[in-house]
Amino acid sequence: FPSHDTTIVKSIEARGGIFKSHPVRRGVLVIGDFASRDWKYSSHGEKIRKAIELRDNGGENKIISDEYLKYLLSEK
């Protein structure tokens, strides 16, 4: 999660999820809504690039926004 919000991390773990700070072949990369033309040169851009590369090579990962994650976690 971009801000490493402990409440969000605890909600993910309470549902059986595991928080990792790097992209994985089967998982979800949560990205913030902030975008700029220089994103690909930032550490966040590197994580997005790696997640896409994993997915293109047979991974089953998803990339979602932090707002969408909050929406999903608010559902019962």
Side-chain angles (χ1 to χ4, degrees):
F1 190 73
S3 63
H4 297 251
D5 182 319
T6 57
T7 304
I8 299 292
V9 172
K10 287 179 183 179
S11 291
I12 291 168
E13 291 173 344
R15 290 168 171 81
I18 300 170
F19 174 82
K20 298 204 178 217
S21 60
H22 59 277
V24 294
R25 289 183 61 79
R26 291 188 63 188
V28 177
L29 174 63
V30 180
I31 60 173
D33 292 331
F34 178 76
S36 78
R37 53 181 211 171
D38 297 326
W39 71 268
K40 64 182 175 180
Y41 302 111
S42 70
S43 62
H44 295 300
E46 180 61 21
K47 289 179 183 181
I48 295 167
R49 187 199 60 74
K50 181 64 176 174
I52 292 169
E53 180 182 301
L54 288 167
R55 188 177 58 201
D56 288 349
N57 289 311
E60 298 176 20
N61 57 358
K62 306 274 187 260
I63 301 171
I64 65 171
S65 72
D66 56 354
E67 290 300 316
Y68 187 60
L69 175 64
K70 289 175 187 175
Y71 166 77
L72 292 173
L73 292 175
S74 71
E75 300 236 318
K76 302 253 176 199

